[in-house]
Amino acid sequence: MKIFHCLNHFLPNNVAGTEIYTASLIHFLSLKNINSVVVIPNYGKPDTEEYTVNGIRVIQYGEPSVIDRKLIMGKKIPEGIEAFKKVLETEKPDIIQFHVAGMSNGITRHHVSLSKKMGFKTIMTFHIAGYSCKTNHLMYKDKVPCDGVIDVKKCTWCNYTVRGIPRIKRHILYASAMAGYTLNYDTSNWESQIGTALGFPFIIKKLKNDLLQLAGNCDKMVVISNWYKNILLRNGIAEDKLELITQGLPLQENNIVPPKIKIAEGVKLVFIGRIIYSKGLHLLINALKQLPEKNISLDIYGHINEDDYTKECIAQSADIKSIRWKGILLPAELLNILKNYDLLCIPSVICEMSPLVIQQAFAAGIPVLASEVYGNSEQITDSLNGWLFKFKNSDDLKIKLEQLVAEPGKIQEAKKNIPAVRNFSAVADEYEQLYRRIINTGREINN
Protein backbone atom coordinates (compact mmCIF):
# COMPACT_ATOMS: atom_id res chain seq x y z
CA MET A 1 0.00 0.00 0.00
CA LYS A 2 1.38 3.41 -1.02
CA ILE A 3 0.09 6.58 0.66
CA PHE A 4 0.81 10.09 -0.60
CA HIS A 5 0.87 12.77 2.11
CA CYS A 6 0.40 16.22 0.56
CA LEU A 7 1.53 19.30 2.47
CA ASN A 8 2.86 22.77 1.67
CA HIS A 9 6.10 22.28 3.63
CA PHE A 10 7.98 19.48 5.37
CA LEU A 11 11.03 18.65 7.45
CA PRO A 12 13.75 19.73 7.88
CA ASN A 13 12.91 23.25 6.66
CA ASN A 14 9.60 23.46 8.50
CA VAL A 15 9.10 21.92 11.94
CA ALA A 16 5.55 22.75 12.99
CA GLY A 17 2.55 20.79 14.21
CA THR A 18 1.38 19.48 10.82
CA GLU A 19 4.88 18.41 9.79
CA ILE A 20 5.51 16.62 13.10
CA TYR A 21 2.09 14.96 12.91
CA THR A 22 2.77 13.71 9.38
CA ALA A 23 6.28 12.48 10.17
CA SER A 24 4.99 10.61 13.24
CA LEU A 25 2.18 9.02 11.23
CA ILE A 26 4.59 7.92 8.50
CA HIS A 27 6.95 6.39 11.06
CA PHE A 28 4.27 4.22 12.69
CA LEU A 29 2.74 3.33 9.32
CA SER A 30 6.16 2.09 8.19
CA LEU A 31 6.10 -0.43 11.05
CA LYS A 32 3.00 -1.85 9.37
CA ASN A 33 4.80 -2.08 6.01
CA ILE A 34 2.78 0.82 4.61
CA ASN A 35 4.84 2.89 2.16
CA SER A 36 4.41 6.65 2.61
CA VAL A 37 5.67 9.44 0.36
CA VAL A 38 5.49 13.16 1.14
CA VAL A 39 4.55 15.52 -1.71
CA ILE A 40 5.18 19.26 -1.40
CA PRO A 41 5.48 22.19 -3.84
CA ASN A 42 8.94 23.15 -5.09
CA TYR A 43 8.19 26.84 -4.71
CA GLY A 44 9.61 29.16 -7.34
CA LYS A 45 11.06 26.33 -9.44
CA PRO A 46 9.66 24.65 -12.58
CA ASP A 47 11.39 21.32 -12.01
CA THR A 48 10.38 18.38 -9.83
CA GLU A 49 13.05 17.32 -7.35
CA GLU A 50 13.42 14.82 -4.50
CA TYR A 51 15.16 14.50 -1.17
CA THR A 52 15.10 12.14 1.81
CA VAL A 53 14.76 13.10 5.46
CA ASN A 54 14.69 10.62 8.36
CA GLY A 55 14.18 7.85 5.82
CA ILE A 56 11.12 9.57 4.33
CA ARG A 57 11.01 10.16 0.59
CA VAL A 58 9.91 13.71 -0.25
CA ILE A 59 8.85 14.68 -3.79
CA GLN A 60 8.91 18.40 -4.57
CA TYR A 61 6.80 18.98 -7.67
CA GLY A 62 7.59 22.03 -9.79
CA GLU A 63 5.61 25.10 -8.69
CA PRO A 64 6.77 28.26 -10.50
CA SER A 65 3.58 30.30 -9.92
CA VAL A 66 4.00 34.00 -9.25
CA ILE A 67 1.64 35.02 -6.46
CA ASP A 68 -0.95 37.59 -7.50
CA ARG A 69 -4.37 38.65 -6.25
CA LYS A 70 -6.32 36.06 -8.26
CA LEU A 71 -4.14 33.26 -6.91
CA ILE A 72 -4.54 34.49 -3.32
CA MET A 73 -8.31 34.72 -3.78
CA GLY A 74 -8.42 31.13 -5.08
CA LYS A 75 -9.71 32.26 -8.46
CA LYS A 76 -6.73 30.96 -10.44
CA ILE A 77 -5.25 27.47 -10.61
CA PRO A 78 -1.54 27.28 -9.63
CA GLU A 79 0.81 26.56 -12.55
CA GLY A 80 2.39 23.66 -10.68
CA ILE A 81 -0.74 21.54 -10.85
CA GLU A 82 0.48 20.02 -14.13
CA ALA A 83 3.72 18.89 -12.46
CA PHE A 84 1.61 17.52 -9.58
CA LYS A 85 -0.49 15.59 -12.10
CA LYS A 86 2.62 14.03 -13.68
CA VAL A 87 3.81 12.86 -10.25
CA LEU A 88 0.47 11.12 -9.67
CA GLU A 89 0.56 9.50 -13.11
CA THR A 90 4.08 8.20 -12.49
CA GLU A 91 3.74 7.08 -8.87
CA LYS A 92 0.13 5.78 -8.84
CA PRO A 93 -0.50 5.88 -5.05
CA ASP A 94 -3.30 3.84 -3.52
CA ILE A 95 -4.52 6.78 -1.43
CA ILE A 96 -3.75 10.51 -1.52
CA GLN A 97 -4.00 12.11 1.90
CA PHE A 98 -4.16 15.90 1.94
CA HIS A 99 -3.01 17.62 5.13
CA VAL A 100 -3.76 21.03 3.64
CA ALA A 101 -5.96 22.34 0.84
CA GLY A 102 -5.78 26.10 0.83
CA MET A 103 -5.31 28.76 -1.81
CA SER A 104 -2.38 30.63 -3.37
CA ASN A 105 0.44 28.55 -4.89
CA GLY A 106 0.57 25.64 -2.45
CA ILE A 107 -1.57 22.52 -2.22
CA THR A 108 -5.11 23.69 -3.00
CA ARG A 109 -8.64 22.40 -3.46
CA HIS A 110 -7.78 22.20 -7.16
CA HIS A 111 -5.26 19.47 -6.33
CA VAL A 112 -7.89 17.54 -4.39
CA SER A 113 -10.37 17.88 -7.25
CA LEU A 114 -7.77 16.75 -9.79
CA SER A 115 -6.84 13.70 -7.70
CA LYS A 116 -10.48 12.67 -7.52
CA LYS A 117 -11.02 13.20 -11.27
CA MET A 118 -7.98 11.00 -11.96
CA GLY A 119 -9.67 8.20 -10.01
CA PHE A 120 -7.54 8.22 -6.87
CA LYS A 121 -8.90 7.60 -3.38
CA THR A 122 -8.62 10.83 -1.43
CA ILE A 123 -8.56 11.78 2.26
CA MET A 124 -8.48 15.23 3.83
CA THR A 125 -7.10 15.66 7.36
CA PHE A 126 -8.06 18.96 9.01
CA HIS A 127 -5.24 20.62 10.95
CA ILE A 128 -6.63 24.18 10.98
CA ALA A 129 -10.05 25.81 11.29
CA GLY A 130 -9.71 28.14 8.30
CA TYR A 131 -11.80 25.87 6.06
CA SER A 132 -14.94 27.12 7.78
CA CYS A 133 -13.88 30.48 9.23
CA LYS A 134 -12.36 33.33 7.25
CA THR A 135 -10.83 34.87 10.39
CA ASN A 136 -9.46 31.48 11.49
CA HIS A 137 -10.54 32.45 15.03
CA LEU A 138 -14.00 30.89 15.38
CA MET A 139 -14.67 33.58 17.96
CA TYR A 140 -17.64 35.72 16.92
CA LYS A 141 -16.42 39.33 16.69
CA ASP A 142 -13.37 38.15 18.69
CA LYS A 143 -15.52 37.99 21.81
CA VAL A 144 -17.42 34.72 22.19
CA PRO A 145 -17.02 31.20 20.71
CA CYS A 146 -18.82 30.97 17.36
CA ASP A 147 -21.24 28.16 16.51
CA GLY A 148 -19.15 27.68 13.36
CA VAL A 149 -22.05 27.81 10.90
CA ILE A 150 -20.99 29.63 7.72
CA ASP A 151 -23.61 32.33 7.22
CA VAL A 152 -23.17 35.17 4.74
CA LYS A 153 -24.63 37.93 6.93
CA LYS A 154 -23.15 36.80 10.24
CA CYS A 155 -19.68 36.05 8.87
CA THR A 156 -19.46 39.25 6.82
CA TRP A 157 -20.31 41.38 9.87
CA CYS A 158 -17.85 39.42 12.03
CA ASN A 159 -15.02 39.87 9.53
CA TYR A 160 -15.63 43.62 9.32
CA THR A 161 -15.60 43.81 13.13
CA VAL A 162 -12.43 41.74 13.57
CA ARG A 163 -10.62 43.92 11.03
CA GLY A 164 -11.21 46.91 13.28
CA ILE A 165 -13.41 48.91 10.91
CA PRO A 166 -15.06 51.78 12.87
CA ARG A 167 -18.71 51.13 13.70
CA ILE A 168 -20.33 53.80 11.48
CA LYS A 169 -18.12 52.94 8.52
CA ARG A 170 -18.80 49.27 9.21
CA HIS A 171 -22.57 49.77 8.99
CA ILE A 172 -22.26 51.68 5.70
CA LEU A 173 -19.90 49.05 4.26
CA TYR A 174 -22.13 46.19 5.39
CA ALA A 175 -25.27 47.77 3.92
CA SER A 176 -23.50 48.39 0.60
CA ALA A 177 -22.00 44.89 0.52
CA MET A 178 -25.32 43.17 1.21
CA ALA A 179 -27.06 45.32 -1.42
CA GLY A 180 -24.47 44.21 -3.97
CA TYR A 181 -24.91 40.62 -2.87
CA THR A 182 -28.70 40.86 -3.29
CA LEU A 183 -28.16 42.20 -6.83
CA ASN A 184 -25.58 39.44 -7.47
CA TYR A 185 -22.89 42.03 -8.23
CA ASP A 186 -19.56 40.54 -7.14
CA THR A 187 -17.01 43.29 -6.52
CA SER A 188 -14.43 40.80 -5.20
CA ASN A 189 -13.32 40.50 -8.84
CA TRP A 190 -12.11 44.10 -8.74
CA GLU A 191 -8.36 44.56 -8.46
CA SER A 192 -8.65 46.65 -5.28
CA GLN A 193 -9.07 46.47 -1.52
CA ILE A 194 -12.44 48.21 -1.64
CA GLY A 195 -13.63 45.60 -4.13
CA THR A 196 -12.63 42.87 -1.72
CA ALA A 197 -14.32 44.63 1.20
CA LEU A 198 -17.58 45.21 -0.69
CA GLY A 199 -17.48 41.69 -2.09
CA PHE A 200 -17.08 39.96 1.26
CA PRO A 201 -20.52 38.30 1.17
CA PHE A 202 -19.41 36.52 -2.02
CA ILE A 203 -16.14 35.52 -0.33
CA ILE A 204 -18.13 33.94 2.51
CA LYS A 205 -20.44 32.21 0.02
CA LYS A 206 -17.36 30.83 -1.76
CA LEU A 207 -15.96 29.62 1.58
CA LYS A 208 -19.10 27.50 2.11
CA ASN A 209 -19.14 26.24 -1.48
CA ASP A 210 -15.45 25.35 -1.33
CA LEU A 211 -16.00 23.35 1.87
CA LEU A 212 -18.88 21.39 0.35
CA GLN A 213 -16.91 20.83 -2.86
CA LEU A 214 -13.95 19.61 -0.82
CA ALA A 215 -16.23 17.12 0.92
CA GLY A 216 -17.55 15.93 -2.42
CA ASN A 217 -14.01 15.25 -3.68
CA CYS A 218 -12.94 13.29 -0.59
CA ASP A 219 -13.70 9.67 0.22
CA LYS A 220 -13.20 10.56 3.89
CA MET A 221 -12.48 13.69 5.90
CA VAL A 222 -10.44 13.10 9.06
CA VAL A 223 -10.98 15.40 12.03
CA ILE A 224 -8.62 15.31 14.99
CA SER A 225 -11.00 16.96 17.46
CA ASN A 226 -14.64 16.50 18.45
CA TRP A 227 -15.39 20.21 18.37
CA TYR A 228 -14.44 20.56 14.68
CA LYS A 229 -16.37 17.46 13.72
CA ASN A 230 -19.47 19.13 15.17
CA ILE A 231 -18.79 22.31 13.20
CA LEU A 232 -18.48 20.37 9.94
CA LEU A 233 -21.75 18.60 10.70
CA ARG A 234 -23.44 21.96 11.31
CA ASN A 235 -22.25 23.08 7.88
CA GLY A 236 -23.93 20.19 6.10
CA ILE A 237 -21.11 17.65 5.84
CA ALA A 238 -22.60 14.15 6.05
CA GLU A 239 -21.60 12.24 9.20
CA ASP A 240 -20.58 9.15 7.23
CA LYS A 241 -18.06 11.33 5.38
CA LEU A 242 -16.26 12.18 8.64
CA GLU A 243 -13.75 10.08 10.58
CA LEU A 244 -12.66 11.14 14.07
CA ILE A 245 -9.03 10.23 14.83
CA THR A 246 -7.93 12.15 17.89
CA GLN A 247 -4.48 13.51 18.62
CA GLY A 248 -1.58 11.45 19.99
CA LEU A 249 1.89 12.00 21.39
CA PRO A 250 4.32 12.51 18.46
CA LEU A 251 7.26 10.43 17.36
CA GLN A 252 10.32 10.30 19.66
CA GLU A 253 8.28 11.48 22.61
CA ASN A 254 6.73 8.34 24.00
CA ASN A 255 8.80 8.06 27.17
CA ILE A 256 6.40 9.69 29.58
CA VAL A 257 8.19 11.18 32.56
CA PRO A 258 6.69 11.59 36.05
CA PRO A 259 5.58 15.05 37.24
CA LYS A 260 8.42 17.18 38.52
CA ILE A 261 8.36 18.03 42.25
CA LYS A 262 8.67 21.78 42.71
CA ILE A 263 11.56 23.00 44.84
CA ALA A 264 12.51 26.50 43.66
CA GLU A 265 10.48 29.61 44.47
CA GLY A 266 8.49 31.37 41.78
CA VAL A 267 6.64 30.02 38.76
CA LYS A 268 8.69 28.84 35.76
CA LEU A 269 6.79 29.37 32.51
CA VAL A 270 7.68 28.02 29.08
CA PHE A 271 6.49 28.95 25.58
CA ILE A 272 7.19 26.55 22.70
CA GLY A 273 6.20 27.32 19.12
CA ARG A 274 6.66 29.46 16.07
CA ILE A 275 7.35 33.14 16.75
CA ILE A 276 4.42 34.42 14.70
CA TYR A 277 1.47 36.66 15.54
CA SER A 278 -1.10 33.83 15.57
CA LYS A 279 0.72 32.13 18.47
CA GLY A 280 0.12 35.19 20.66
CA LEU A 281 3.55 35.49 22.29
CA HIS A 282 3.08 39.27 22.50
CA LEU A 283 0.15 38.76 24.88
CA LEU A 284 2.29 36.69 27.24
CA ILE A 285 5.18 39.16 27.19
CA ASN A 286 2.79 42.04 27.85
CA ALA A 287 1.28 40.18 30.81
CA LEU A 288 4.72 39.46 32.30
CA LYS A 289 5.73 43.11 32.02
CA GLN A 290 3.09 43.84 34.66
CA LEU A 291 4.28 41.21 37.17
CA PRO A 292 7.21 41.24 39.64
CA GLU A 293 10.18 39.52 37.98
CA LYS A 294 11.24 37.70 41.13
CA ASN A 295 8.02 35.67 41.22
CA ILE A 296 7.86 34.42 37.65
CA SER A 297 10.11 33.62 34.70
CA LEU A 298 9.60 32.70 31.04
CA ASP A 299 11.77 30.71 28.63
CA ILE A 300 10.86 31.05 24.95
CA TYR A 301 11.69 28.22 22.54
CA GLY A 302 11.25 28.89 18.84
CA HIS A 303 13.09 29.87 15.69
CA ILE A 304 14.18 33.49 15.95
CA ASN A 305 13.37 35.06 12.58
CA GLU A 306 14.31 38.48 11.25
CA ASP A 307 10.68 39.48 10.65
CA ASP A 308 9.00 42.50 12.20
CA TYR A 309 6.89 40.49 14.64
CA THR A 310 9.87 38.66 16.13
CA LYS A 311 11.84 41.89 16.41
CA GLU A 312 8.89 43.54 18.15
CA CYS A 313 8.61 40.71 20.69
CA ILE A 314 12.34 40.79 21.40
CA ALA A 315 12.23 44.56 21.87
CA GLN A 316 9.15 44.28 24.09
CA SER A 317 10.96 41.80 26.35
CA ALA A 318 14.39 43.46 26.31
CA ASP A 319 14.05 45.06 29.74
CA ILE A 320 12.60 41.98 31.44
CA LYS A 321 15.45 39.94 32.90
CA SER A 322 13.15 37.04 33.74
CA ILE A 323 12.44 36.40 30.02
CA ARG A 324 15.02 34.32 28.16
CA TRP A 325 15.10 33.48 24.45
CA LYS A 326 16.34 29.89 24.11
CA GLY A 327 16.20 29.29 20.33
CA ILE A 328 15.10 26.13 18.55
CA LEU A 329 14.13 23.06 20.58
CA LEU A 330 14.62 19.70 18.87
CA PRO A 331 11.61 17.32 19.08
CA ALA A 332 13.70 14.59 20.72
CA GLU A 333 14.66 16.97 23.54
CA LEU A 334 11.21 18.37 24.20
CA LEU A 335 9.95 16.15 27.02
CA ASN A 336 13.16 16.35 29.00
CA ILE A 337 13.09 20.15 28.69
CA LEU A 338 9.40 20.50 29.51
CA LYS A 339 9.63 18.60 32.80
CA ASN A 340 11.87 21.37 34.18
CA TYR A 341 9.01 23.88 34.10
CA ASP A 342 5.88 24.46 36.14
CA LEU A 343 3.56 25.57 33.39
CA LEU A 344 3.28 25.71 29.59
CA CYS A 345 1.56 28.78 28.15
CA ILE A 346 -0.31 28.74 24.80
CA PRO A 347 -1.62 32.30 24.22
CA SER A 348 -2.96 31.62 20.68
CA VAL A 349 -4.91 34.37 18.92
CA ILE A 350 -6.40 31.93 16.39
CA CYS A 351 -8.50 28.84 16.97
CA GLU A 352 -6.05 25.98 17.39
CA MET A 353 -7.35 22.63 16.12
CA SER A 354 -5.80 20.31 18.71
CA PRO A 355 -2.29 21.48 19.67
CA LEU A 356 0.29 18.71 19.90
CA VAL A 357 2.18 20.70 22.49
CA ILE A 358 -0.65 20.19 25.00
CA GLN A 359 -0.17 16.42 24.73
CA GLN A 360 3.58 16.96 25.11
CA ALA A 361 3.10 19.04 28.25
CA PHE A 362 0.78 16.45 29.77
CA ALA A 363 3.31 13.73 28.95
CA ALA A 364 5.96 15.76 30.79
CA GLY A 365 3.61 16.08 33.76
CA ILE A 366 2.98 19.83 33.63
CA PRO A 367 -0.35 21.68 33.29
CA VAL A 368 -1.17 24.23 30.59
CA LEU A 369 -2.40 27.83 30.65
CA ALA A 370 -4.02 28.66 27.30
CA SER A 371 -6.43 30.98 25.51
CA GLU A 372 -10.02 29.75 25.59
CA VAL A 373 -10.31 28.68 21.93
CA TYR A 374 -12.01 25.39 21.05
CA GLY A 375 -8.88 23.32 20.40
CA ASN A 376 -7.41 24.27 23.78
CA SER A 377 -10.59 23.99 25.83
CA GLU A 378 -11.31 20.49 24.47
CA GLN A 379 -8.12 19.22 26.12
CA ILE A 380 -7.92 21.55 29.13
CA THR A 381 -10.49 21.62 31.92
CA ASP A 382 -10.20 25.03 33.54
CA SER A 383 -8.82 24.90 37.10
CA LEU A 384 -8.49 21.10 36.94
CA ASN A 385 -5.57 20.14 34.66
CA GLY A 386 -4.82 23.68 33.54
CA TRP A 387 -6.31 27.13 33.08
CA LEU A 388 -8.02 29.07 30.29
CA PHE A 389 -7.88 32.85 29.85
CA LYS A 390 -10.05 35.14 27.76
CA PHE A 391 -9.30 35.29 24.03
CA LYS A 392 -6.76 37.97 23.05
CA ASN A 393 -6.87 39.35 26.59
CA SER A 394 -3.44 39.90 28.15
CA ASP A 395 -5.07 41.47 31.23
CA ASP A 396 -6.96 38.27 31.98
CA LEU A 397 -3.78 36.29 31.32
CA LYS A 398 -1.99 38.52 33.85
CA ILE A 399 -4.73 37.89 36.42
CA LYS A 400 -4.44 34.13 35.96
CA LEU A 401 -0.65 34.31 36.37
CA GLU A 402 -0.98 36.49 39.49
CA GLN A 403 -3.29 33.90 41.05
CA LEU A 404 -0.86 31.07 40.32
CA VAL A 405 2.10 33.03 41.66
CA ALA A 406 0.15 33.78 44.83
CA GLU A 407 -1.01 30.17 45.20
CA PRO A 408 1.60 27.88 43.56
CA GLY A 409 -0.03 24.91 45.27
CA LYS A 410 -2.72 25.09 42.59
CA ILE A 411 -0.13 24.06 40.00
CA GLN A 412 0.85 21.03 42.07
CA GLU A 413 -2.83 20.05 42.41
CA ALA A 414 -3.35 20.41 38.65
CA LYS A 415 -0.45 18.02 38.03
CA LYS A 416 -2.37 15.32 39.86
CA ASN A 417 -5.26 15.68 37.39
CA ILE A 418 -3.31 15.48 34.15
CA PRO A 419 -4.92 12.84 31.90
CA ALA A 420 -3.15 9.89 30.33
CA VAL A 421 -1.60 10.65 26.96
CA ARG A 422 -2.51 8.70 23.83
CA ASN A 423 0.38 7.09 21.96
CA PHE A 424 0.71 8.00 18.29
CA SER A 425 0.88 4.32 17.38
CA ALA A 426 -2.85 4.23 18.21
CA VAL A 427 -3.38 7.07 15.72
CA ALA A 428 -1.57 5.06 13.04
CA ASP A 429 -3.68 1.98 13.87
CA GLU A 430 -6.86 3.92 13.18
CA TYR A 431 -5.47 5.34 9.93
CA GLU A 432 -4.49 1.87 8.76
CA GLN A 433 -8.03 0.64 9.38
CA LEU A 434 -9.41 3.65 7.52
CA TYR A 435 -7.10 3.12 4.53
CA ARG A 436 -8.09 -0.53 4.24
CA ARG A 437 -11.81 0.28 4.47
CA ILE A 438 -11.51 2.85 1.70
CA ILE A 439 -9.54 0.53 -0.58
CA ASN A 440 -11.82 -2.45 0.08
CA THR A 441 -14.92 -0.34 -0.53
CA GLY A 442 -13.56 0.55 -3.96
CA ARG A 443 -12.92 -3.09 -4.72
CA GLU A 444 -16.42 -4.09 -3.65
CA ILE A 445 -17.94 -1.47 -5.96
CA ASN A 446 -15.78 -2.60 -8.87
CA ASN A 447 -16.76 -6.22 -8.31
Side-chain angles (χ1 to χ4, degrees):
M1 187 189 303
K2 181 193 284 188
I3 311 296
F4 263 23
H5 296 270
C6 299
L7 303 85
N8 282 337
H9 308 279
F10 196 61
L11 311 176
N13 298 321
N14 264 59
V15 186
T18 303
E19 289 82 12
I20 294 172
Y21 180 101
T22 305
S24 300
L25 177 58
I26 289 172
H27 169 77
F28 286 105
L29 289 176
S30 70
L31 302 179
K32 302 171 181 293
N33 295 317
I34 295 176
N35 179 24
S36 295
V37 179
V38 170
V39 179
I40 60 175
N42 197 9
Y43 290 111
K45 298 181 180 180
D47 299 325
T48 296
E49 301 173 336
E50 289 192 26
Y51 71 90
T52 301
V53 57
N54 299 334
I56 301 171
R57 182 184 174 210
V58 182
I59 299 176
Q60 296 177 285
Y61 68 87
E63 180 45 271
S65 296
V66 176
I67 298 178
D68 57 20
R69 188 174 179 278
K70 287 185 177 179
L71 202 61
I72 293 172
M73 296 285 287
K75 296 186 176 184
K76 186 168 79 173
I77 299 175
E79 291 180 38
I81 201 162
E82 287 301 317
F84 178 79
K85 180 180 179 181
K86 289 180 181 177
V87 171
L88 299 189
E89 290 173 337
T90 301
E91 296 288 332
K92 296 180 174 58
D94 294 293
I95 292 176
I96 303 175
Q97 182 169 347
F98 291 89
H99 294 269
V100 64
M103 292 186 281
S104 193
N105 62 337
I107 296 287
T108 67
R109 293 166 179 82
H110 300 296
H111 295 74
V112 182
S113 178
L114 171 66
S115 300
K116 192 64 177 176
K117 287 178 181 177
M118 292 176 70
F120 292 103
K121 299 293 182 182
T122 57
I123 296 175
M124 177 72 205
T125 297
F126 290 97
H127 294 276
I128 61 172
Y131 300 95
S132 58
C133 178
K134 205 64 185 174
T135 68
N136 210 18
H137 298 175
L138 278 169
M139 297 289 289
Y140 183 59
K141 296 191 293 186
D142 269 1
K143 292 182 179 179
V144 295
C146 180
D147 62 8
V149 176
I150 304 172
D151 176 83
V152 168
K153 292 182 178 180
K154 178 191 74 173
C155 296
T156 298
W157 182 255
C158 177
N159 275 269
Y160 288 163
T161 304
V162 170
R163 280 163 174 74
I165 299 172
R167 187 170 182 81
I168 295 176
K169 184 178 179 181
R170 194 189 321 154
H171 277 282
I172 295 171
L173 181 60
Y174 178 79
S176 302
M178 292 312 301
Y181 182 72
T182 301
L183 296 171
N184 199 32
Y185 185 63
D186 186 1
T187 62
S188 68
N189 293 316
W190 296 0
E191 294 290 331
S192 66
Q193 289 185 339
I194 187 61
T196 300
L198 287 169
F200 226 93
F202 289 94
I203 293 172
I204 299 300
K205 180 181 179 181
K206 184 178 185 301
L207 182 71
K208 179 66 174 287
N209 291 339
D210 284 348
L211 179 62
L212 295 176
Q213 183 184 54
L214 183 62
N217 286 323
C218 291
D219 291 275
K220 283 287 184 178
M221 304 174 92
V222 175
V223 282
I224 60 178
S225 58
N226 275 293
W227 72 266
Y228 201 65
K229 178 181 178 181
N230 290 331
I231 281 178
L232 293 177
L233 289 171
R234 289 178 200 141
N235 280 293
I237 307 298
E239 187 159 13
D240 61 2
K241 179 74 70 171
L242 302 175
E243 188 83 10
L244 177 65
I245 300 179
T246 55
Q247 193 64 275
L249 190 66
L251 178 63
Q252 295 182 317
E253 298 177 281
N254 298 308
N255 296 319
I256 299 176
V257 297
K260 173 180 170 289
I261 298 174
K262 184 175 176 60
I263 299 175
E265 292 298 322
V267 174
K268 296 178 65 178
L269 285 177
V270 62
F271 171 93
I272 299 173
R274 286 175 291 168
I275 313 300
I276 55 178
Y277 176 81
S278 63
K279 297 301 180 182
L281 179 59
H282 58 285
L283 296 177
L284 180 55
I285 294 173
N286 187 55
L288 286 178
K289 287 176 70 174
Q290 304 173 62
L291 297 173
E293 290 186 30
K294 66 177 182 178
N295 295 330
I296 193 165
S297 65
L298 169 66
D299 284 354
I300 299 168
Y301 289 92
H303 181 65
I304 301 175
N305 302 301
E306 292 297 320
D307 61 278
D308 291 341
Y309 179 76
T310 303
K311 291 177 180 177
E312 182 182 336
C313 286
I314 291 174
Q316 190 181 5
S317 65
D319 296 330
I320 310 174
K321 295 179 182 179
S322 60
I323 295 180
R324 296 176 295 182
W325 291 78
K326 307 287 282 187
I328 296 174
L329 179 60
L330 296 176
E333 302 172 344
L334 198 146
L335 283 185
N336 285 328
I337 294 294
L338 269 175
K339 68 181 180 180
N340 295 315
Y341 295 92
D342 299 307
L343 194 65
L344 170 74
C345 190
I346 307 177
S348 313
V349 297
I350 62 167
C351 193
E352 301 277 12
M353 181 63 71
S354 182
L356 281 169
V357 72
I358 294 179
Q359 294 287 306
Q360 293 161 333
F362 286 169
I366 67 170
V368 181
L369 170 61
S371 56
E372 59 177 358
V373 296
Y374 284 123
N376 295 337
S377 60
E378 184 165 284
Q379 298 186 71
I380 300 166
T381 302
D382 191 41
S383 299
L384 183 66
N385 58 13
W387 295 268
L388 298 168
F389 69 91
K390 294 177 182 177
F391 185 64
K392 284 188 174 181
N393 193 324
S394 63
D395 289 335
D396 192 48
L397 174 55
K398 182 199 72 154
I399 291 170
K400 290 288 194 299
L401 289 172
E402 281 178 329
Q403 292 171 347
L404 295 174
V405 168
E407 300 180 71
K410 289 184 176 181
I411 295 176
Q412 300 307 312
E413 285 300 312
K415 288 182 178 183
K416 299 175 184 178
N417 298 314
I418 289 174
V421 178
R422 174 170 145 101
N423 193 294
F424 212 96
S425 62
V427 176
D429 288 343
E430 292 183 33
Y431 268 111
E432 179 191 22
Q433 294 168 18
L434 175 61
Y435 297 153
R436 298 198 183 282
R437 287 205 313 271
I438 290 174
I439 291 172
N440 290 335
T441 299
R443 287 171 181 167
E444 289 169 7
I445 293 174
N446 292 331
N447 290 335

